[in-house]
Amino acid sequence: MRDFFINTFEILVGVIVVLLCIGIVAFAGITAFGGNEMMGPGAPSGPLMGLGILIGGAIYVIFIAGLMYMGLGIYQNTKRTAEAVEKLVTR
């Protein structure tokens, strides 16, 4: 049961990262190419603001995805270490 949740979480992390990337690119595009009408009067827009959203969003995705994948990596490494120690002990 535990493996099911870990494997499902790994798939979910991949889906979340892809959705974050799509959302950031879409929001940067809307902002860069005339998002004022959609976001209301006085909202900042323009290519420079879109580029800022793109760069800031990329940093955010790298940070969040890195933390999630690091957690999964720690779990996998701990699991492999426990299996290796178990093999040594049972010999």
Side-chain angles (χ1 to χ4, degrees):
M1 190 71 169
R2 176 180 50 212
D3 290 335
F4 167 75
F5 286 114
I6 296 296
N7 292 335
T8 305
F9 179 66
E10 193 168 355
I11 293 168
L12 188 62
V13 166
V15 170
I16 289 171
V17 169
V18 169
L19 289 176
L20 280 172
C21 290
I22 291 170
I24 289 167
V25 168
F27 188 64
I30 289 169
T31 303
F33 302 112
N36 256 356
E37 298 82 26
M38 296 177 72
M39 294 188 288
S45 66
L48 193 57
M49 182 61 75
L51 184 63
I53 290 172
L54 204 57
I55 292 171
I59 291 170
Y60 176 79
V61 168
I62 290 168
F63 182 73
I64 295 300
L67 285 176
M68 288 191 283
Y69 280 119
M70 185 175 64
L72 287 169
I74 290 170
Y75 169 77
Q76 296 296 338
N77 287 339
T78 305
K79 185 177 173 183
R80 282 196 315 245
T81 302
E83 290 170 355
V85 168
E86 189 175 304
K87 283 183 183 178
L88 286 174
V89 171
T90 57
R91 283 187 178 183

